[in-house]
Amino acid sequence: MIIKKTIILSVVVLLLISVAGCKKNPVQAPQNSEQKVSTEYGETTDPEELEKLWQEYFYDSIATIGNTRKFNSAEEIDPVGVAKFCWRKYVAEHGKESLELASENSNRRLFPLDAVLEYAERYFNLTDLDVTDINDAYYDREESAFIFYYSDKEDRPSYTERNSWGTHLDKVTKNSDGTVTAVLVRYDSSKANRVKLTKTYTLKQREDSSLYFVSGRWHYLNNHLVSLSGDYQRFDQI
């Protein structure tokens, strides 16, 4: 009888020790794996990446395709603007000396349409350009080539530095649909910190991570520099 009670008492003690151990070392629930995964979408803030985008796409857009106020597809961009953009990329890679002079005593050079289309496909996903209505000052129909001038020396300022056009990269956002939205701002010449105009571009990303322009638009900001008072009628559209 004594032996039986001893066995029962031992079993009870072991059970109590087991319960106490469980309380001291509770099983931790697995952490949510989503907390460890950082999304690739959203605003780009890495200075190195912003500089690369500025030099590759946006700096050369300022005085070229940036002159087209609105386009919903690359086909709507002024073809001269597209060609000028492609010209700047070609010269940056190969130099202008590889291109023929437009005439013997000219400082302008011929940029063949075939070369334009090579870069147009890369940056605009275009395989053709309508040159029908281009002014003869910009296009030689006999040579099937654009005519452009490029200065001997041109600095390529960083996106954080001032440039001749007063236009700067404000924001780049990677979207979940595979597009990239970039906003360029132009400051008022009289007030360095007052934005006068924004240019917003949408680019699509290929599988190799390269981008091409698909749309763009201007937007002038109303800085409320003028106010109206008195008896007047408002017309939202004319």
Side-chain angles (χ1 to χ4, degrees):
M1 188 69 178
I2 296 174
I3 296 173
K4 186 175 181 180
K5 289 182 179 179
T6 302
I7 293 173
I8 293 173
L9 182 60
S10 299
V11 171
V12 171
V13 172
L14 288 173
L15 288 173
L16 290 173
I17 293 173
S18 177
V19 171
C22 289
K23 289 183 179 179
K24 290 181 180 180
N25 299 286
V27 177
Q28 295 183 353
Q31 294 183 353
N32 189 345
S33 60
E34 291 183 359
Q35 295 178 354
K36 298 179 181 180
V37 179
S38 60
T39 176
E40 62 177 319
Y41 308 124
E43 184 176 352
T44 299
T45 57
D46 179 16
E48 185 175 344
E49 187 171 357
L50 289 171
E51 182 66 25
K52 181 179 178 181
L53 291 169
W54 169 255
Q55 296 295 342
E56 183 71 10
Y57 300 99
F58 304 122
Y59 177 69
D60 291 314
S61 74
I62 298 174
T64 57
I65 65 170
N67 292 326
T68 299
R69 295 196 172 206
K70 182 180 180 180
F71 60 92
N72 294 312
S73 67
E75 288 82 359
E76 297 178 5
I77 307 174
D78 176 13
V80 175
V82 171
K84 281 184 177 180
F85 182 97
C86 297
W87 158 260
R88 294 178 67 87
K89 305 311 293 186
Y90 178 93
V91 172
E93 291 182 6
H94 304 286
K96 64 180 181 179
E97 290 74 14
S98 60
L99 300 172
E100 294 183 18
L101 290 171
S103 61
E104 185 177 351
N105 297 318
S106 174
N107 57 4
R108 298 189 302 166
R109 295 181 182 266
L110 297 174
F111 188 34
L113 179 59
D114 289 344
V116 174
L117 293 177
E118 179 183 341
Y119 284 83
E121 184 172 11
R122 184 194 304 181
Y123 291 99
F124 303 98
N125 209 37
L126 291 173
T127 57
D128 189 29
L129 276 182
D130 184 2
V131 298
T132 306
D133 298 325
I134 296 179
N135 191 296
D136 291 343
Y138 293 108
Y139 191 72
D140 187 325
R141 285 169 172 76
E142 291 185 3
E143 298 288 344
S144 295
F146 285 84
I147 307 170
F148 293 133
Y149 167 78
Y150 197 85
S151 61
D152 292 331
K153 293 182 179 180
E154 179 176 338
D155 294 329
R156 294 183 65 88
S158 168
Y159 81 99
T160 60
E161 299 173 337
R162 293 184 178 183
N163 57 66
S164 302
W165 296 277
T167 300
H168 305 274
L169 184 61
D170 182 56
K171 186 191 323 186
V172 175
T173 305
K174 293 183 179 180
N175 308 309
S176 59
D177 62 356
T179 62
V180 172
T181 302
V183 179
L184 276 63
V185 296
R186 178 185 295 173
Y187 290 99
D188 192 318
S189 58
S190 63
K191 296 288 184 180
N193 60 346
R194 186 167 66 205
V195 176
K196 175 182 179 181
L197 169 71
T198 65
K199 295 181 180 182
T200 303
Y201 295 108
T202 300
L203 299 87
K204 281 189 177 180
Q205 189 171 29
R206 298 186 179 95
E207 291 184 359
D208 63 359
S209 297
S210 65
L211 303 172
Y212 61 93
F213 290 88
V214 294
S215 67
R217 68 181 185 277
W218 288 19
H219 176 66
Y220 279 100
L221 274 68
N222 182 4
N223 288 305
H224 303 286
L225 301 180
V226 177
S227 61
L228 297 177
S229 61
D231 186 15
Y232 68 91
Q233 186 174 358
R234 179 186 179 92
F235 294 92
D236 292 326
Q237 293 182 347
I238 299 178

